[in-house]
Amino acid sequence: MTKSALQIARAAYQPKLPKALKGAVKVEEGAPTQSVADQEAIKALFPNTYGMPLIKFVEGGAMDYPAINVGVILSGGQAPGGHNVISGLFDGIKALNKKSRLFGFILGPGGLVDHNYKELTADIIDEYRNTGGFDIIGSGRTKLEKEDQFEKGLEIIKELGINALVIIGGDDSNTNACVLAEYYAAKKCGVQVIGCPKTIDGDLKNEMIETSFGFDTACKVYSEVIGNIQRDCNSSRKYWHFIKLMGRSASHIALECALQTQPNICIVSEEVEANNMSLDDVVTYIAQAVANRAAQGNNFGTVLIPEGLIEFIPAMKKLIAELNDLLAANKEFAMIKKSAQREWVISKLSEENAAIYASLPEGVARQLTLDRDPHGNVQVSLIETEKLLSDMVAVKLAQWKEEGKYVGKFAAQHHFFGYEGRCAAPSNYDADYCYALGYTASMLIANGKTGYMSSVRNTTAPAEEWIAGGVPITMMMNMERRHGEMKPVIQKALVKLDGAPFKAFAAKRDEWALETAYVYPGPIQYFGPTEVCDQPTKTLALEQSK
Ligand code: FBP
């Protein structure tokens, strides 16, 4: 296999570990925990894994552990650093006992159910250290939720003598990890389940989980490209660029990229919802900024749009909620001829939602009825919000021109950044953070824990001072409606409008809208001065500087 010069140099990088993990560790237990909401309901559903204490690892103890066999699963969308979680886990279980073994289940949770696995040996691990992607074993979105899946999994777990499973995933996959932990604990199967917080979306975070891995690298990649586009549009001065950014419901990626690049406009879905804005309000806001710049002779600019925006416009949110229930209850929808689907949907929706649905451009309306993902989420990455908004802005500007309120030229370019950043070589931050998360998972296993998520905190400080431990997954849960039913799920962390990152953005955005205040972050640097190579995201830095 031919390797790039960077790949070769990067293979030699030794990720940093918190001081406490460098030798033998001791467990320090905190107070018992409870779920963030719906305590009674969650406790009843997780009698064996509810209320466990927070865990912190400190130096001390003995390194005398029996050999263990561990299974690892990568679940959901790719995020930079996954390979380092696995190499940290591998090194951790080997440090505990050289005879320990690691098995990777192929293509996500489905690999466990289908008994599709491979042993991850030292040679394989060494090929993937500090690389992006999930290709070491592949990933998938199969939802592990049914008893027969758990039982099929148990067969291969027993066959391979696996003591513990590590599930590397986002909020939905870690919810499933917890359900599985509870199931195996209730049946006294002797199988531990540990989760690791993955997702570029940045929406799996709380007091104990500072950030999900991959967010740092992905945002840096998108910011590099946004910066390049800004320099291009500031050079030719003829286009408005509408840039949609991945991130599902939450706007963390868009907000972080805005803090890094200072675009003219960044829409934050959570604010749109809080201010009860309609689609027309959002369009008017953008069009006004375009008109204000045009009045100064600047017919160019950048607009960042979070991919989940459409779900946060209150009227659209109601429509999507009704569509979710409608489609879940009418599986035959997929069999209806494409040309008849629109009419069918309109005939079934409530009057209010039918009117909104009918008013949408045909393409966007169709995109709202596409298959949900296995977790019941609308696949927002498939909805072309960037085009919808720029078309509507063009119409509004044309109208203002007629009324003599606008005197510019408006030409738009569209971009969608998501896949470009999900498999990038992890930044130093993600390389270190992921390795530490994997290593911590091995210590949770060695100490007999199950139903915990690996946690590494204080990550804006030097890695030596990072705090490693575990958080009971039930602590992060609440009840939410999914596929038409109430289910226990990890609460999604959306952008907080009273949080430091949003406030920092809000304080500057009017200036950025009018001026050309672009910042050009350039590509991720892996070698060089620490202020260039080792900076965390602005989101994390602002959140930690409270
Ligand atoms: P996860 O929650 O699985 O980490 O998803 C990340 C993500 O990249 C989202 O930002 C995006 O909406 C989605 O995956 C796209 O899914 P797919 O890879 O199936 O196209």
Side-chain angles (χ1 to χ4, degrees):
M1 212 207 299
T2 314
K3 287 189 180 157
S4 68
L6 180 71
Q7 249 177 302
I8 295 165
R10 198 64 185 152
Y13 178 74
Q14 180 52 50
K16 304 177 196 84
L17 269 182
K19 195 161 166 230
L21 295 185
K22 286 186 176 163
V25 301
K26 264 195 328 214
V27 171
E28 217 176 74
E29 283 195 359
T33 57
Q34 49 175 333
S35 60
V36 282
D38 308 311
Q39 288 85 9
E40 287 312 311
I42 307 283
K43 189 175 177 183
L45 289 165
F46 295 91
N48 294 283
T49 50
Y50 188 85
M52 300 183 299
L54 292 165
I55 298 278
K56 181 175 153 187
F57 292 118
V58 293
E59 290 162 89
M63 250 329 198
D64 178 23
Y65 288 91
I68 46 172
N69 287 353
V70 173
V72 64
I73 298 175
L74 288 164
S75 182
Q78 286 72 255
H83 289 158
N84 272 26
V85 178
I86 295 180
S87 48
L89 176 63
F90 180 85
D91 291 351
I93 62 170
K94 290 285 184 190
L96 291 163
N97 188 311
K98 281 203 166 33
K99 294 205 179 93
S100 296
R101 295 167 74 189
L102 183 62
F103 296 92
F105 288 97
I106 310 294
L107 287 175
L112 178 70
V113 181
D114 302 334
H115 300 185
N116 195 2
Y117 69 92
K118 76 171 175 200
E119 179 162 4
L120 297 172
T121 53
D123 317 356
I124 301 176
I125 296 286
D126 287 348
E127 279 295 302
Y128 288 92
R129 289 180 190 272
N130 309 310
T131 59
F134 278 6
D135 42 314
I136 186 169
I137 45 174
S139 185
R141 290 199 185 276
T142 303
K143 191 166 164 60
L144 270 188
E145 58 177 352
K146 300 201 181 79
E147 264 190 37
D148 58 324
Q149 294 175 308
F150 300 166
E151 288 296 330
K152 283 298 283 176
L154 199 53
E155 285 171 18
I156 189 71
I157 285 174
K158 284 192 175 147
E159 194 181 312
L160 297 172
I162 287 179
N163 311 84
L165 273 181
V166 175
I167 299 185
I168 303 172
D171 51 346
D172 289 327
S173 310
N174 274 286
T175 296
N176 296 343
C178 195
V179 174
L180 194 62
E182 176 65 32
Y183 183 84
Y184 289 156
K187 288 195 69 182
K188 303 201 177 1
C189 304
V191 185
Q192 300 157 245
V193 184
I194 300 295
C196 275
K198 169 236 70 166
T199 179
I200 58 163
D201 302 346
D203 58 2
L204 173 46
K205 65 174 170 182
N206 50 52
E207 280 287 291
M208 304 304 294
I209 303 293
E210 290 183 349
T211 185
S212 55
F213 79 75
F215 176 71
D216 184 276
T217 311
C219 288
K220 285 173 179 163
V221 172
Y222 306 141
S223 297
E224 176 203 350
V225 187
I226 294 165
N228 295 350
I229 287 176
Q230 293 190 147
R231 210 145 211 169
D232 190 286
C233 85
N234 193 11
S235 304
S236 64
R237 308 192 175 199
K238 61 178 182 184
Y239 292 127
W240 271 87
H241 291 265
F242 284 70
I243 305 167
K244 184 175 79 164
L245 292 153
M246 259 190 186
R248 287 192 192 279
S249 307
S251 307
H252 298 294
I253 294 183
L255 179 59
E256 171 64 24
C257 292
L259 291 167
Q260 288 193 32
T261 62
Q262 304 190 180
N264 299 104
I265 298 167
C266 173
I267 308 291
V268 174
S269 307
E270 290 83 344
E271 184 184 28
V272 167
E273 181 174 47
N275 293 346
N276 207 3
M277 288 170 85
S278 64
L279 190 53
D280 186 60
D281 292 335
V282 176
V283 169
T284 306
Y285 171 71
I286 300 172
Q288 192 57 59
V290 172
N292 293 345
R293 279 178 66 79
Q296 299 190 338
N298 291 325
N299 290 300
F300 65 95
T302 46
V303 185
L304 305 191
I305 304 153
E307 72 171 355
L309 173 65
I310 210 92
E311 285 186 292
F312 280 78
I313 295 171
M316 297 292 290
K317 190 175 186 165
K318 274 195 222 146
L319 166 64
I320 290 172
E322 194 181 345
L323 276 174
N324 284 347
D325 291 351
L326 183 68
L327 298 179
N330 292 279
K331 298 276 183 256
E332 71 275 13
F333 173 75
M335 312 304 283
I336 300 172
K337 266 210 302 202
K338 280 228 159 54
S339 54
Q341 284 180 342
R342 188 178 165 92
E343 282 317 308
W344 183 89
V345 170
I346 291 173
S347 74
K348 299 278 179 194
L349 287 172
S350 64
E351 204 179 317
E352 190 189 357
N353 284 335
I356 296 170
Y357 187 82
S359 73
L360 292 173
E362 198 146 347
V364 174
R366 162 143 323 123
Q367 285 157 2
L368 288 181
T369 60
L370 291 176
D371 282 350
R372 274 39 187 166
D373 76 3
H375 300 276
N377 304 313
V378 176
Q379 300 194 56
V380 279
S381 59
L382 302 178
I383 301 173
E384 293 179 318
T385 334
E386 70 283 21
K387 294 210 176 107
L388 173 74
L389 289 179
S390 92
D391 285 356
M392 293 177 78
V393 166
V395 170
K396 187 149 299 253
L397 290 171
Q399 190 189 322
W400 287 356
K401 196 165 237 175
E402 267 179 27
E403 294 164 12
K405 293 198 235 160
Y406 164 66
V407 284
K409 281 194 199 134
F410 178 73
Q413 295 286 351
H414 306 106
H415 314 266
F416 168 36
F417 297 145
Y419 301 101
E420 295 80 350
R422 296 201 312 183
C423 283
S427 60
N428 286 351
Y429 177 89
D430 270 329
D432 296 344
Y433 181 52
C434 289
Y435 187 78
L437 283 173
Y439 207 94
T440 302
S442 73
M443 297 302 148
L444 288 167
I445 298 168
N447 286 283
K449 304 299 170 195
T450 191
Y452 275 80
M453 190 182 288
S454 175
S455 144
V456 175
R457 293 184 295 126
N458 198 31
T459 62
T460 51
E464 282 269 301
E465 295 161 34
W466 292 4
I467 300 163
V471 194
I473 301 179
T474 50
M475 186 184 173
M476 306 170 200
M477 287 194 171
N478 68 168
M479 300 295 289
E480 283 178 26
R481 198 171 178 78
R482 293 288 171 93
H483 283 298
E485 274 176 61
M486 290 308 280
K487 295 256 173 172
V489 291
I490 292 179
Q491 196 173 54
K492 250 191 209 319
L494 299 177
V495 168
K496 290 193 178 131
L497 301 182
D498 58 356
F502 180 79
K503 281 191 181 160
F505 161 72
K508 284 288 184 185
R509 66 174 148 188
D510 290 346
E511 188 184 318
W512 298 348
L514 200 59
E515 317 276 304
T516 302
Y518 304 150
V519 173
Y520 313 112
I524 294 178
Q525 301 293 310
Y526 300 93
F527 305 99
T530 189
E531 68 277 16
V532 181
C533 301
D534 301 324
Q535 292 309 307
T537 55
K538 300 228 178 259
T539 302
L540 193 56
L542 286 159
E543 282 171 348
Q544 300 293 307
S545 68
K546 58 197 161 206

